[in-house]
């Protein structure tokens, strides 16, 4: 079945760049997503990338997609303490009656002062 | 703005009690989902629904049931709560077709079963 994997923890210093990595298995996914979950809250869509793109940039966020290796990454430039959160990658496998998403386990990003 | 609301933020129940978790969305989404979130395990899909009165099992449906009598409302039912159902429960909704297929999430209900 589909599987999405992420490392569980990442710590960076304020002002540095953060890179969160994700591997997925379903090569037919149309979109891949990054969600952010702040403490005590639900998930919010942070950004996404269409499967025929290699890169997408949105202000401090850069998403890189390597379809050959089924590898997705999220780079946050100039990381701030407000970026501390859990980041989930998700894929949208083909088929399914309700466009289910498969989520990774989430990466807890801690930004140190 | 899309709004997904959940009936409670925190809930404490006793083993064996029947528990109802309610979710309401205001964006006319066809799809609705219930997940549980546990540390290190990410989000696991319990049940989902793609239309009124339709429901399908997700990855971990055992011990749960659902009800979708109206398009905007999706309820998760724990028939007889057990301590291993202590978790964060997240509801989400999305359009069935078109757009990005992204899901919109509620704030979550942290359920403790003692």
């Amino acid at each position: 079945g589909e599987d999405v994997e992420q490392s569980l923890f990442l710590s960076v210093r304020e002002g540095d760049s953060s890179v969160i990595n994700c591997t997925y298995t379903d090569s037919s996914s149309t979109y891949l997503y990054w969600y952010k979950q702040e403490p005590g809250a639900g998930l919010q869509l942070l950004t996404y990338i269409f499967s025929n793109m290699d890169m997408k940039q949105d202000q401090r966020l850069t998403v890189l997609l390597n379809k050959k290796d089924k590898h997705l990454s999220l780079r946050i430039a100039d990381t701030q303490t407000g970026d501390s959160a859990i980041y989930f990658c998700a894929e949208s496998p083909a088929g399914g009656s309700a466009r289910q998403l498969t989520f990774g386990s989430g990466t807890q990003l801690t930004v140190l002062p | 703005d899309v709004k997904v609301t959940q009936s409670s933020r925190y809930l404490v129940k006793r083993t064996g009690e029947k528990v109802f978790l309610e979710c309401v969305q205001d964006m006319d989404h066809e799809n609705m989902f219930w997940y549980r979130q546990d540390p290190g395990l990410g989000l696991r899909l319990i049940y989902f629904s793609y239309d009124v009165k339709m429901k399908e099992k997700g990855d971990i449906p055992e011990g749960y049931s659902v009800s979708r009598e109206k398009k905007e409302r999706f309820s998760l039912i724990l028939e007889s709560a057990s301590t291993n159902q202590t978790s964060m429960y997240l509801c989400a909704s999305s359009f069935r077709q078109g757009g990005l297929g992204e899901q919109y999430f509620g704030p979550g209900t942290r359920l403790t079963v003692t």
Side-chain angles (χ1 to χ4, degrees):
Chain A
E2 299 87 14
D3 197 16
V4 179
E5 294 190 356
Q6 304 176 236
S7 53
L8 291 181
F9 303 100
L10 176 66
S11 292
V12 298
R13 293 268 176 211
E14 194 172 11
D16 287 350
S17 292
S18 309
V19 179
I20 302 171
N21 294 300
C22 170
T23 57
Y24 63 96
T25 56
D26 191 330
S27 56
S28 63
S29 293
T30 306
Y31 289 99
L32 294 132
Y33 312 86
W34 283 103
Y35 281 82
K36 178 182 181 182
Q37 183 183 35
E38 295 183 351
L43 279 67
Q44 283 192 303
L45 182 66
L46 194 61
T47 188
Y48 65 92
I49 188 165
F50 192 51
S51 58
N52 67 355
M53 298 169 66
D54 298 323
M55 184 179 87
K56 180 182 178 185
Q57 190 144 5
D58 183 2
Q59 299 182 339
R60 292 191 297 121
L61 304 178
T62 303
V63 180
L64 294 177
L65 176 60
N66 180 328
K67 284 193 74 173
K68 175 176 168 287
D69 295 337
K70 296 181 188 163
H71 183 266
L72 181 72
S73 68
L74 173 69
R75 179 177 179 269
I76 306 173
D78 187 26
T79 313
Q80 302 298 306
T81 54
D83 295 322
S84 291
I86 303 176
Y87 292 80
F88 291 90
C89 66
E91 64 172 351
S92 180
S97 50
R99 301 169 88 183
Q100 297 95 295
L101 301 184
T102 300
F103 289 85
S105 55
T107 299
Q108 173 79 61
L109 174 64
T110 301
V111 182
L112 305 169
Chain B
D1 271 357
V2 176
K3 199 160 185 184
V4 181
T5 56
Q6 296 184 228
S7 50
S8 305
R9 293 299 304 271
Y10 300 94
L11 211 51
V12 180
K13 295 291 182 181
R14 293 201 179 274
T15 301
E17 279 193 83
K18 192 168 186 175
V19 182
F20 293 88
L21 303 182
E22 302 268 313
C23 175
V24 177
Q25 49 93 6
D26 66 359
M27 274 299 291
D28 204 32
H29 285 163
E30 295 87 0
N31 299 331
M32 295 189 76
F33 307 84
W34 275 107
Y35 296 90
R36 64 178 281 176
Q37 180 182 9
D38 299 289
L41 297 178
L43 272 65
R44 292 181 291 166
L45 183 62
I46 304 171
Y47 266 97
F48 64 96
S49 167
Y50 54 88
D51 203 349
V52 175
K53 297 193 187 294
M54 304 303 291
K55 58 186 178 184
E56 288 199 26
K57 293 179 180 178
D59 300 318
I60 52 162
E62 296 79 20
Y64 304 94
S65 62
V66 290
S67 172
R68 187 143 181 226
E69 296 296 318
K70 293 186 177 181
K71 190 175 186 180
E72 67 271 17
R73 189 179 297 269
F74 193 34
S75 301
L76 179 70
I77 302 151
L78 287 66
E79 295 290 343
S80 177
S82 63
T83 54
N84 63 12
Q85 293 179 308
T86 292
S87 186
M88 169 73 93
Y89 290 88
L90 292 165
C91 174
S93 68
S94 70
F95 285 116
R96 190 164 180 193
Q97 292 181 356
L100 304 174
E102 75 271 35
Q103 293 181 8
Y104 295 84
F105 283 81
T109 296
R110 186 164 292 283
L111 172 67
T112 302
V113 182
T114 61

